[in-house]
Amino acid sequence: MNALGTPQKAFPGAYIQTPANNKFQGRQPNPRPSLAVSHQRNASQHQSQALEKQGQDGQAGGQKSGVEELQPIARAAKAVNEVLTEESRYPDLDSYIGQGISSEYEVNPQSAWAPFQKVKMHTIPDRIFEQYNRAQVSTIMGLFADFNHAWVAIDNALYLWDYTHPNPDLVSFEEQPYTITAVRLVVPRPGVFVPSVVRILAVATTAEMILIGMSTQPAPHGGSSVALYSLKMSTPIKGLDVGVIEGSDATGRIFFSGSGSDDVYEFTYQQEERWFQNRCAKVNHTSKGYSTLTPATFWGSKSQREIVVQMIVDDTRKLLYTLSTKSTIRTFHIKDNGALDLMITKPLVQTLSNVGHMTSQSDLISPSMTLVSISAITANEATKTHLMTTTSTGCRIFMSATSSYGYYSSSSSAPTSMQVQHVKFPPVDNTNPQQTQSSTSTQMTTHSNTPSINTSSRALVPTRTAVRYAPGYFLAFVARDPQAGTDLLFLSGPDTARIAKPQDEQRLTKYAELALWLNLGSRAEDIGLATRPFSAGPSPVGFGNELAVQFDKPTSEIAVLTNTGVHMLRRRRLVDIFAATLRLGGGDQGLEGEVKKFIRQYGRDETASTALAVACGQASDVTSDSRLARIQDPDILEHARKAFIEYGGKPLFNENSMLDQSVPAIDLVRPSPRHKGLSLYISRLVRSIWKAPIINERLTLSGGLTILSSVAMSKLRDISEDLTRLKEFLNANKSFIEGLAGPEALSNANTKQEEISLQAEHRALHALVVLIDNMIEGIAFVLVLYDEKIEETILSLGNETRQQVRNLSYEGLCTTALGKSLAKDLVKAIVNRNIVSGSNVETVAEALRRRCGSFCSADDVVTFKAQEYVKRGSEAGAESEVCRDYLNESLRLFLQVAGSLSMDQLGWVVDNYVSLQFYAGSIQLCLEKAKESDRGNRALTWIQEGRPQGDKRQEAFESRKRCYDLIHYVIRSIDQSRTETADMLDGHLTLSGKRREEAADQIDTSEDEVFQTNLYDWYLSENRQDKLLEVESPYVTAYLRRRSDDDIAHADLLWRYYVQNERYQDGAIIQLALAKSEFKLSLDQRIEYLGNAKTNASTTKPGIRRSVRNEVLREISDLLDVANIQSDLLQRLKGDPRITADRRPTVTQELDGNILPLSVLFNTYCEAAHYFDLCILIYEAADHRVASDIKATWQNHLDRVHAEAEAQEQGPEPYEMIAETVRSLGTKLGLSETMFPVATLLPMIKRYAYDYQLNTGPETWVVDVFIDLQVPFETIWAVLENMFYNDERPFQGRNRRFIGNDMVYIARLWFQDSIRGSGMLYGGEDNAYAVSQMLHLIMQNGLDEGRLEECQNLRMRIETMLR
């Protein structure tokens, strides 16, 4: 059940708010009978409103309901389990045989309703009569019905014959001389005889009791043949006149009694003689001492003695019951130590006293009647009820035994008392008109009325003998005419369906029975159960449910031996009764009456199930030639079909549950009885295998493993055939069955409720149809599994899988995902075993596909064929061309079914391909498997959206990743192979190299972006970044871009990939983005990125527009300037003593990271810290051109430098620091006219030199600073000239000589510079003349003595050159 699977398309109206088509619009539907029509209409209106509201709420709320939506197969399995649970709760015997009396029978005159039918009478062979005519002393007869044999003892000879054989052979025992008085077939004690002796005959004669071994084997005609063996075991019993023998099947103990007393003896036997213990002996468990040696005639006449006439053993309770000629019942406890203790003696007078408390005076229960038989009721059938005894008047008395701990069971102490629990009186005597008239209504009354109890019917008087078989079959032999020597047989059985589903569930369950009379025409000699004892379950609750096993177990058959032959009586199942009623119904009108009667009797669910079973051919009847055959009469099958379809009822919408808004409306519908009937029928077909394991492992005597089926193969085939017939029936009639007719049936819905009900019905029936298909295929799979060498198949599984297979039931196999998975594992194991053995895999796989397609589909067949090609290729050798052809063919087949390959299968293929150096094929197959596992490419969208956690699409990615992991394995294998063989040899590509190149081509040319993404992830996880950079694929950049947002390593790889592929502009953009990113990068790293970005952006490359490149380069440069300022600021602050130790880490963290805006750097740090040089740099970066701000900042900066220099006790002079800082800033500012205004700075520094550094340092250090910065001489000269003329403080009067000295110095240097080479003096005559004039003026205003002479000489040279 894949939750991610595509949901099934809903039928129209699946949501309540969807309107259904109403073909009755415009006219009123037929009115329904109602006590109050108006009330019904109101209720219907309210119901519709509630449905609409719930539908709207459900639509608005989405999947708020907590109700889990079951898959069809799970829904069907739930239905079957519910039915099996319900049928396992069938009332136990004690629940309807309670304290009291009853007389409910239905003796229907119609043979169709008879609970039993006579199948056949097997005549006694003529040779038996020949021996009988030779009898001299006595003749007794009996049955071994469970072996289909009868026996006759004529004088001293015993003869056995198979009464089912038309001409049987006689098996005789004539090796002893004494007259045989009793014969009993018993189960031997374990370990005493060889295993072939399955039964022993205890033969009592007038002198001794002999044990005879009996073995059986299947006979050719279908029965059993027996053989007798002398065991040489006997014990003397002379004088006991043994007439009753009984054996314990559980212990093998043999009990007997004679006509001389009511003593109970035991025949003890063992394998060998022991000290003080013979091999055979008899033990008297009742009388001790002298009485055992005294002849019985000493104490009274034979007619007055009380003797045992019947013994019954109940192994489930370890009890032995005896019935005496005085109607006394004795109960013995069979102890494990070999003892037999008498626990209860129940004389007739006590029995009558118990009954007297239950009913008033009845002629049927009186001292004049006798008890003619007893029948044990085992602990499996009832907890309280232990014994049933039948009176000579035909009454059945049910008794219970109790101990000090309560009702007796085998696990408690022995019983100490016995009481009457219930009395069942005989049916109405139909031969008495007066009684019949007064009692007919009682006998035929349905459960809706309370019938009176008839306690005076003499219908069963006199009952000569009777017997009861589980779960309640009662046979009473009535000898109404003793002189005629014939018996009337009264048979009754529980009406199981009425007991299971009483019409009035408020009342206690009645002991309802169906009965009939049979005239045997002869006297009954013995009765036997020809089939296994009935049991529908191991405990009293559910034990008697005949309905549950009517298709699962053989129908009970009873053999009655008379002096004319063996009459075979068969218990009729409910399905047989229903088919018979259809046959005798007399057309459609009669059919309707019979079906309605069935519904009244047993309910609509059971009627639907029974009709379906008849329609599917489950009913049986006795043919004219006395054969039992399935009913195939077309008329009966058609009537059953119509009954199932027309009387299957309708789904019921539960209006009372509408208040629970959390439950979808469709879940409030109870499916129709037709659905319940189908569930019942399916459950009854599969009940014996549903919970059964598919295998049973056992160890052989030699220690080997053998595996047996827990269910016989013939049983599995029968179930499969029945399910197949059911499937064919449903397919043939689906257009007539509501719920299977398809979506068009919804057009018949008159209301919203009916529409929803039809949807629910379809959902329920469809689930059962799916289950039928699964069960048919599951059984077919098991049959195939056992046709193969199952031991080898199971042993080839892994330990965990093998344990799961051990625990796998048919339910799990057919209804669970694990079951299907294990089945596929078994199929693979079968195929692999055939591959290893060299068998034709295609034949085996095709057979599996035909018989169980869901476990072995057409894709599986192709897969197995491809696996076989791989195996052949491996056998041919990796270097051969034949191998390559096989591998290519296998790859072609694998690619066809890639979507259905399991990961185990894919791994097997890849391992084999790699071992054969078929690398390209393994990669191609893995890629195809990944694609098929995610056809919607959901994994790619999940990756593109950032791989959100908890997203369902992640499962699609994980599914693909498992395939890609195998490709990684292939790549490792390829790398390993390179260390073993070279790619090139003598300048030519080797075969191994060629195969490696093919694999590389498969990887590089793959268009699976998810694979490429996964491959790149794997490269990085393996530290193979260089391998990633070598890949030439558009997916690389897409991958790195996608991952770069979250991982700096991928971003680094991205720009490296761009640069390596000469995409410098793209690399610069990525580096710029990294510098601006939020990654945890230091400021130096960001500056490094910007530096590299500037280099890459500056590199020209065809195809990139200059404007674009310049724009990028400008952005990089600007940001680099800011970063450098921030770096200088950071370094400055690190060493600033004004920052406290606590504050310094914070400041460092703020600055050593992202590049901050200039406003933050200026306002927060530089200005506040009086870093005026940095402020100037910020002005430059921000293009701040306010001259007053710039001048003030320069002044502040010079003042701060001077102050710092003055504060130092050692170090450079203040003027030196001023000169250095001006040089530094000038260089950084690039002599910007705005930020490095020479006209402002030169006077400012000159004033500083005069005010603070007069006569300190070189005379011309100020102008030297500007000369060092390569400020043009012409610019310096102009500034000095302006200063000279301006006559500003402090350069006034005589102090003007300081300006004059600098001007002479500049004029000389300018002169020297201009005359070098072929340059013009001072740049031109006008300039030279102006300089000469200015020098003349300077000399007039006064100079230092040294400068005066220099000035004169210089002027003379200028003048000379001007001439």
Side-chain angles (χ1 to χ4, degrees), residues 96-97 100-107 396 422-428 441-447 449-455 490 492-495 498-499 508-515:
Y96 55 88
I97 301 184
I101 61 176
S102 64
S103 63
E104 285 82 12
Y105 295 90
E106 184 172 331
V107 186
R396 282 177 279 170
H422 186 88
V423 179
K424 185 71 180 277
F425 285 91
V428 173
S441 60
T442 300
Q443 297 301 326
M444 300 303 295
T445 302
T446 62
H447 284 257
N449 299 321
T450 303
S452 59
I453 299 176
N454 187 343
T455 61
F490 175 78
S492 68
D495 194 348
R498 289 171 65 184
I499 294 174
L508 294 176
T509 304
K510 298 291 185 180
Y511 187 9
E513 290 187 284
L514 296 174

Short mmCIF file of all heavy atoms in Angstrom, two decimals, residues 96-97 100-107 396 422-428 441-447 449-455 490 492-495 498-499 508-515:
data_model
loop_
_atom_site.label_atom_id
_atom_site.label_comp_id
_atom_site.label_asym_id
_atom_site.label_seq_id
_atom_site.Cartn_x
_atom_site.Cartn_y
_atom_site.Cartn_z
N TYR A 96 -27.66 -23.27 24.81
CA TYR A 96 -29.04 -23.57 24.42
C TYR A 96 -29.54 -24.90 24.98
O TYR A 96 -30.64 -25.33 24.68
CB TYR A 96 -29.19 -23.54 22.88
CG TYR A 96 -28.26 -24.41 22.09
CD1 TYR A 96 -28.58 -25.74 21.81
CD2 TYR A 96 -27.07 -23.91 21.58
CE1 TYR A 96 -27.74 -26.54 21.08
CE2 TYR A 96 -26.21 -24.71 20.84
CZ TYR A 96 -26.55 -26.02 20.59
OH TYR A 96 -25.72 -26.82 19.84
N ILE A 97 -28.73 -25.55 25.77
CA ILE A 97 -29.21 -26.69 26.57
C ILE A 97 -29.01 -26.29 28.02
O ILE A 97 -28.12 -26.77 28.71
CB ILE A 97 -28.46 -27.99 26.23
CG1 ILE A 97 -28.62 -28.32 24.76
CG2 ILE A 97 -29.00 -29.15 27.05
CD1 ILE A 97 -27.99 -29.62 24.34
N GLY A 100 -33.62 -27.01 32.23
CA GLY A 100 -35.02 -26.98 31.83
C GLY A 100 -35.32 -28.06 30.82
O GLY A 100 -34.60 -29.04 30.68
N ILE A 101 -36.44 -27.85 30.11
CA ILE A 101 -36.91 -28.84 29.14
C ILE A 101 -37.23 -28.14 27.84
O ILE A 101 -37.38 -26.92 27.78
CB ILE A 101 -38.17 -29.57 29.66
CG1 ILE A 101 -39.30 -28.54 29.88
CG2 ILE A 101 -37.86 -30.35 30.93
CD1 ILE A 101 -40.62 -29.19 30.29
N SER A 102 -37.33 -28.93 26.77
CA SER A 102 -37.68 -28.39 25.46
C SER A 102 -38.20 -29.51 24.60
O SER A 102 -38.04 -30.70 24.91
CB SER A 102 -36.46 -27.73 24.81
OG SER A 102 -35.47 -28.69 24.55
N SER A 103 -38.84 -29.11 23.48
CA SER A 103 -39.32 -30.10 22.52
C SER A 103 -39.42 -29.50 21.12
O SER A 103 -40.31 -29.84 20.36
CB SER A 103 -40.69 -30.64 22.95
OG SER A 103 -41.66 -29.59 22.95
N GLU A 104 -38.50 -28.55 20.82
CA GLU A 104 -38.55 -27.88 19.52
C GLU A 104 -37.98 -28.80 18.43
O GLU A 104 -36.80 -29.16 18.48
CB GLU A 104 -37.76 -26.57 19.55
CG GLU A 104 -38.44 -25.44 20.28
CD GLU A 104 -38.23 -25.51 21.77
OE1 GLU A 104 -37.38 -26.31 22.20
OE2 GLU A 104 -38.90 -24.78 22.50
N TYR A 105 -38.82 -29.16 17.52
CA TYR A 105 -38.43 -29.91 16.33
C TYR A 105 -39.14 -29.31 15.13
O TYR A 105 -40.20 -28.70 15.27
CB TYR A 105 -38.84 -31.39 16.42
CG TYR A 105 -38.16 -32.18 17.50
CD1 TYR A 105 -38.73 -32.27 18.78
CD2 TYR A 105 -36.99 -32.88 17.25
CE1 TYR A 105 -38.14 -33.01 19.77
CE2 TYR A 105 -36.39 -33.63 18.25
CZ TYR A 105 -36.96 -33.70 19.51
OH TYR A 105 -36.37 -34.44 20.48
N GLU A 106 -38.56 -29.51 13.99
CA GLU A 106 -39.29 -29.22 12.77
C GLU A 106 -39.17 -30.45 11.88
O GLU A 106 -38.14 -30.69 11.26
CB GLU A 106 -38.74 -27.99 12.05
CG GLU A 106 -39.55 -27.63 10.81
CD GLU A 106 -39.14 -26.30 10.20
OE1 GLU A 106 -38.67 -25.43 10.96
OE2 GLU A 106 -39.29 -26.14 8.99
N VAL A 107 -40.24 -31.23 11.88
CA VAL A 107 -40.30 -32.43 11.05
C VAL A 107 -41.11 -32.04 9.82
O VAL A 107 -42.34 -32.14 9.80
CB VAL A 107 -40.95 -33.62 11.80
CG1 VAL A 107 -40.85 -34.88 10.95
CG2 VAL A 107 -40.28 -33.82 13.14
N ARG A 396 -34.44 -37.41 25.63
CA ARG A 396 -32.99 -37.25 25.77
C ARG A 396 -32.72 -36.46 27.05
O ARG A 396 -33.24 -35.36 27.23
CB ARG A 396 -32.41 -36.52 24.57
CG ARG A 396 -32.25 -37.37 23.34
CD ARG A 396 -31.74 -36.57 22.17
NE ARG A 396 -32.81 -35.84 21.50
CZ ARG A 396 -32.63 -34.92 20.58
NH1 ARG A 396 -31.39 -34.59 20.22
NH2 ARG A 396 -33.64 -34.31 20.01
N HIS A 422 -30.78 -30.91 31.30
CA HIS A 422 -31.82 -30.56 30.34
C HIS A 422 -32.49 -31.85 29.86
O HIS A 422 -31.85 -32.90 29.80
CB HIS A 422 -31.22 -29.82 29.15
CG HIS A 422 -32.21 -29.29 28.17
ND1 HIS A 422 -32.79 -28.06 28.29
CD2 HIS A 422 -32.73 -29.83 27.03
CE1 HIS A 422 -33.61 -27.84 27.28
NE2 HIS A 422 -33.59 -28.92 26.51
N VAL A 423 -33.77 -31.72 29.51
CA VAL A 423 -34.52 -32.86 28.96
C VAL A 423 -35.14 -32.41 27.65
O VAL A 423 -35.83 -31.39 27.58
CB VAL A 423 -35.62 -33.35 29.91
CG1 VAL A 423 -36.39 -34.50 29.28
CG2 VAL A 423 -35.03 -33.77 31.25
N LYS A 424 -34.87 -33.17 26.60
CA LYS A 424 -35.46 -32.90 25.30
C LYS A 424 -36.48 -34.00 25.02
O LYS A 424 -36.14 -35.18 24.88
CB LYS A 424 -34.38 -32.89 24.21
CG LYS A 424 -34.88 -32.50 22.83
CD LYS A 424 -35.24 -31.02 22.77
CE LYS A 424 -35.75 -30.60 21.38
NZ LYS A 424 -34.68 -30.32 20.45
N PHE A 425 -37.75 -33.58 24.97
CA PHE A 425 -38.84 -34.53 24.74
C PHE A 425 -38.96 -34.85 23.26
O PHE A 425 -38.50 -34.10 22.40
CB PHE A 425 -40.14 -33.96 25.29
CG PHE A 425 -40.22 -34.01 26.78
CD1 PHE A 425 -39.77 -32.95 27.57
CD2 PHE A 425 -40.72 -35.14 27.43
CE1 PHE A 425 -39.83 -33.00 28.95
CE2 PHE A 425 -40.78 -35.20 28.81
CZ PHE A 425 -40.33 -34.13 29.58
N PRO A 426 -39.63 -35.95 22.93
CA PRO A 426 -39.74 -36.36 21.52
C PRO A 426 -40.62 -35.39 20.73
O PRO A 426 -41.32 -34.56 21.28
CB PRO A 426 -40.40 -37.74 21.63
CG PRO A 426 -40.20 -38.18 23.03
CD PRO A 426 -40.17 -36.95 23.85
N PRO A 427 -40.56 -35.53 19.42
CA PRO A 427 -41.42 -34.69 18.57
C PRO A 427 -42.87 -35.16 18.60
O PRO A 427 -43.20 -36.18 19.23
CB PRO A 427 -40.80 -34.89 17.18
CG PRO A 427 -40.24 -36.27 17.23
CD PRO A 427 -39.73 -36.46 18.63
N VAL A 428 -43.72 -34.42 17.91
CA VAL A 428 -45.13 -34.78 17.83
C VAL A 428 -45.29 -36.11 17.11
O VAL A 428 -44.61 -36.39 16.13
CB VAL A 428 -45.91 -33.67 17.10
CG1 VAL A 428 -47.35 -34.08 16.86
CG2 VAL A 428 -45.84 -32.38 17.88
N SER A 441 -49.30 -26.59 15.47
CA SER A 441 -48.86 -25.20 15.55
C SER A 441 -47.57 -25.05 16.32
O SER A 441 -46.74 -24.21 16.02
CB SER A 441 -49.96 -24.33 16.19
OG SER A 441 -50.22 -24.82 17.51
N THR A 442 -47.43 -25.94 17.31
CA THR A 442 -46.20 -25.87 18.10
C THR A 442 -44.99 -26.26 17.26
O THR A 442 -43.95 -25.61 17.28
CB THR A 442 -46.31 -26.80 19.32
OG1 THR A 442 -47.39 -26.39 20.11
CG2 THR A 442 -45.02 -26.81 20.11
N GLN A 443 -45.16 -27.32 16.49
CA GLN A 443 -44.01 -27.80 15.74
C GLN A 443 -43.61 -26.87 14.61
O GLN A 443 -42.46 -26.77 14.27
CB GLN A 443 -44.32 -29.20 15.18
CG GLN A 443 -44.55 -30.25 16.26
CD GLN A 443 -43.37 -30.42 17.17
OE1 GLN A 443 -42.24 -30.29 16.72
NE2 GLN A 443 -43.58 -30.68 18.44
N MET A 444 -44.55 -26.18 14.04
CA MET A 444 -44.25 -25.38 12.86
C MET A 444 -44.17 -23.89 13.17
O MET A 444 -44.03 -23.08 12.28
CB MET A 444 -45.32 -25.61 11.78
CG MET A 444 -45.41 -27.06 11.33
SD MET A 444 -43.85 -27.71 10.73
CE MET A 444 -43.62 -26.73 9.28
N THR A 445 -44.30 -23.53 14.43
CA THR A 445 -44.26 -22.11 14.79
C THR A 445 -42.86 -21.56 14.61
O THR A 445 -41.88 -22.22 14.93
CB THR A 445 -44.70 -21.94 16.26
OG1 THR A 445 -46.00 -22.47 16.39
CG2 THR A 445 -44.71 -20.48 16.64
N THR A 446 -42.78 -20.35 14.09
CA THR A 446 -41.48 -19.70 13.93
C THR A 446 -41.02 -19.14 15.26
O THR A 446 -41.75 -19.14 16.25
CB THR A 446 -41.57 -18.58 12.88
OG1 THR A 446 -42.49 -17.60 13.35
CG2 THR A 446 -42.05 -19.12 11.55
N HIS A 447 -39.82 -18.56 15.24
CA HIS A 447 -39.24 -18.04 16.48
C HIS A 447 -39.97 -16.82 17.00
O HIS A 447 -39.76 -16.42 18.12
CB HIS A 447 -37.76 -17.70 16.24
CG HIS A 447 -36.89 -18.91 16.19
ND1 HIS A 447 -36.09 -19.30 17.21
CD2 HIS A 447 -36.75 -19.84 15.21
CE1 HIS A 447 -35.43 -20.40 16.89
NE2 HIS A 447 -35.82 -20.74 15.67
N ASN A 449 -42.97 -16.53 17.70
CA ASN A 449 -43.93 -16.93 18.73
C ASN A 449 -43.25 -17.86 19.71
O ASN A 449 -42.26 -18.50 19.40
CB ASN A 449 -45.14 -17.63 18.10
CG ASN A 449 -45.87 -16.70 17.14
OD1 ASN A 449 -46.01 -15.52 17.42
ND2 ASN A 449 -46.31 -17.25 15.99
N THR A 450 -43.78 -17.96 20.88
CA THR A 450 -43.22 -18.84 21.90
C THR A 450 -43.98 -20.16 21.88
O THR A 450 -45.14 -20.22 22.30
CB THR A 450 -43.32 -18.20 23.29
OG1 THR A 450 -42.66 -16.94 23.26
CG2 THR A 450 -42.70 -19.09 24.33
N PRO A 451 -43.37 -21.25 21.37
CA PRO A 451 -44.10 -22.51 21.28
C PRO A 451 -44.24 -23.17 22.65
O PRO A 451 -43.39 -23.02 23.52
CB PRO A 451 -43.23 -23.35 20.35
CG PRO A 451 -41.85 -22.82 20.56
CD PRO A 451 -42.01 -21.36 20.86
N SER A 452 -45.31 -23.90 22.80
CA SER A 452 -45.49 -24.67 24.03
C SER A 452 -44.66 -25.93 23.94
O SER A 452 -44.27 -26.36 22.86
CB SER A 452 -46.97 -25.02 24.24
OG SER A 452 -47.44 -25.79 23.14
N ILE A 453 -44.37 -26.55 25.09
CA ILE A 453 -43.52 -27.74 25.15
C ILE A 453 -44.41 -28.96 25.29
O ILE A 453 -45.23 -29.06 26.22
CB ILE A 453 -42.54 -27.63 26.32
CG1 ILE A 453 -41.64 -26.40 26.13
CG2 ILE A 453 -41.70 -28.89 26.43
CD1 ILE A 453 -40.70 -26.15 27.28
N ASN A 454 -44.24 -29.87 24.34
CA ASN A 454 -45.02 -31.10 24.34
C ASN A 454 -44.27 -32.16 25.13
O ASN A 454 -43.18 -32.59 24.74
CB ASN A 454 -45.24 -31.55 22.89
CG ASN A 454 -46.18 -32.73 22.80
OD1 ASN A 454 -46.44 -33.42 23.79
ND2 ASN A 454 -46.69 -32.97 21.60
N THR A 455 -44.84 -32.59 26.26
CA THR A 455 -44.18 -33.57 27.12
C THR A 455 -44.89 -34.92 27.11
O THR A 455 -44.63 -35.76 27.98
CB THR A 455 -44.12 -33.05 28.56
OG1 THR A 455 -45.46 -32.85 29.04
CG2 THR A 455 -43.35 -31.75 28.63
N PHE A 490 -35.46 -42.54 13.64
CA PHE A 490 -35.72 -41.10 13.79
C PHE A 490 -34.37 -40.39 13.83
O PHE A 490 -33.51 -40.72 14.66
CB PHE A 490 -36.51 -40.82 15.07
CG PHE A 490 -36.69 -39.35 15.35
CD1 PHE A 490 -37.64 -38.61 14.67
CD2 PHE A 490 -35.89 -38.70 16.28
CE1 PHE A 490 -37.81 -37.26 14.93
CE2 PHE A 490 -36.05 -37.35 16.55
CZ PHE A 490 -37.02 -36.63 15.86
N SER A 492 -32.41 -36.58 13.87
CA SER A 492 -32.54 -35.13 14.05
C SER A 492 -31.14 -34.53 14.16
O SER A 492 -30.17 -35.21 14.51
CB SER A 492 -33.35 -34.79 15.30
OG SER A 492 -32.64 -35.16 16.48
N GLY A 493 -31.08 -33.28 13.84
CA GLY A 493 -29.82 -32.55 13.94
C GLY A 493 -30.09 -31.09 14.24
O GLY A 493 -31.18 -30.58 13.95
N PRO A 494 -29.14 -30.42 14.83
CA PRO A 494 -29.36 -29.01 15.17
C PRO A 494 -29.61 -28.16 13.93
O PRO A 494 -28.95 -28.35 12.90
CB PRO A 494 -28.07 -28.60 15.90
CG PRO A 494 -27.05 -29.58 15.44
CD PRO A 494 -27.77 -30.86 15.18
N ASP A 495 -30.56 -27.25 14.03
CA ASP A 495 -30.79 -26.27 12.97
C ASP A 495 -29.77 -25.16 13.18
O ASP A 495 -30.03 -24.12 13.80
CB ASP A 495 -32.22 -25.74 13.03
CG ASP A 495 -32.60 -25.00 11.76
OD1 ASP A 495 -31.70 -24.71 10.96
OD2 ASP A 495 -33.79 -24.69 11.58
N ARG A 498 -30.41 -21.34 12.58
CA ARG A 498 -31.33 -20.69 13.52
C ARG A 498 -30.69 -20.52 14.89
O ARG A 498 -30.96 -19.56 15.61
CB ARG A 498 -32.63 -21.50 13.63
CG ARG A 498 -33.49 -21.41 12.38
CD ARG A 498 -34.65 -22.38 12.43
NE ARG A 498 -35.60 -22.05 13.49
CZ ARG A 498 -36.66 -22.80 13.80
NH1 ARG A 498 -36.89 -23.92 13.11
NH2 ARG A 498 -37.47 -22.45 14.76
N ILE A 499 -29.84 -21.47 15.27
CA ILE A 499 -29.14 -21.32 16.55
C ILE A 499 -28.12 -20.19 16.47
O ILE A 499 -27.96 -19.40 17.41
CB ILE A 499 -28.45 -22.65 16.92
CG1 ILE A 499 -29.51 -23.72 17.19
CG2 ILE A 499 -27.55 -22.47 18.13
CD1 ILE A 499 -28.94 -25.11 17.42
N LEU A 508 -33.45 -16.25 25.02
CA LEU A 508 -32.41 -17.26 25.08
C LEU A 508 -32.46 -18.12 23.82
O LEU A 508 -33.54 -18.38 23.27
CB LEU A 508 -32.58 -18.12 26.32
CG LEU A 508 -32.36 -17.42 27.67
CD1 LEU A 508 -32.65 -18.37 28.81
CD2 LEU A 508 -30.94 -16.89 27.77
N THR A 509 -31.32 -18.58 23.38
CA THR A 509 -31.25 -19.41 22.19
C THR A 509 -31.97 -20.72 22.43
O THR A 509 -31.77 -21.38 23.46
CB THR A 509 -29.78 -19.68 21.82
OG1 THR A 509 -29.11 -18.44 21.67
CG2 THR A 509 -29.69 -20.47 20.53
N LYS A 510 -32.84 -21.10 21.48
CA LYS A 510 -33.59 -22.35 21.59
C LYS A 510 -32.81 -23.48 20.95
O LYS A 510 -32.02 -23.28 20.03
CB LYS A 510 -34.96 -22.20 20.91
CG LYS A 510 -35.86 -21.13 21.52
CD LYS A 510 -36.33 -21.53 22.91
CE LYS A 510 -37.33 -20.51 23.46
NZ LYS A 510 -37.79 -20.89 24.81
N TYR A 511 -33.07 -24.68 21.47
CA TYR A 511 -32.46 -25.87 20.91
C TYR A 511 -33.31 -26.31 19.72
O TYR A 511 -34.12 -27.23 19.82
CB TYR A 511 -32.36 -26.96 21.97
CG TYR A 511 -31.59 -28.19 21.55
CD1 TYR A 511 -30.86 -28.23 20.36
CD2 TYR A 511 -31.57 -29.33 22.35
CE1 TYR A 511 -30.16 -29.34 19.98
CE2 TYR A 511 -30.85 -30.46 21.98
CZ TYR A 511 -30.16 -30.46 20.79
OH TYR A 511 -29.45 -31.57 20.41
N ALA A 512 -33.12 -25.63 18.60
CA ALA A 512 -33.91 -25.90 17.40
C ALA A 512 -33.30 -27.06 16.64
O ALA A 512 -32.09 -27.13 16.47
CB ALA A 512 -33.99 -24.65 16.53
N GLU A 513 -34.17 -27.96 16.17
CA GLU A 513 -33.70 -29.13 15.43
C GLU A 513 -34.58 -29.37 14.22
O GLU A 513 -35.78 -29.09 14.22
CB GLU A 513 -33.71 -30.38 16.31
CG GLU A 513 -32.66 -30.38 17.40
CD GLU A 513 -32.62 -31.71 18.13
OE1 GLU A 513 -33.52 -31.95 18.96
OE2 GLU A 513 -31.72 -32.51 17.86
N LEU A 514 -33.94 -29.89 13.18
CA LEU A 514 -34.65 -30.43 12.03
C LEU A 514 -34.61 -31.95 12.13
O LEU A 514 -33.60 -32.53 12.54
CB LEU A 514 -33.98 -29.99 10.72
CG LEU A 514 -34.00 -28.48 10.42
CD1 LEU A 514 -33.17 -28.20 9.17
CD2 LEU A 514 -35.41 -27.99 10.24
N ALA A 515 -35.71 -32.60 11.75
CA ALA A 515 -35.80 -34.05 11.95
C ALA A 515 -36.53 -34.70 10.79
O ALA A 515 -37.22 -34.03 10.00
CB ALA A 515 -36.50 -34.37 13.27
#
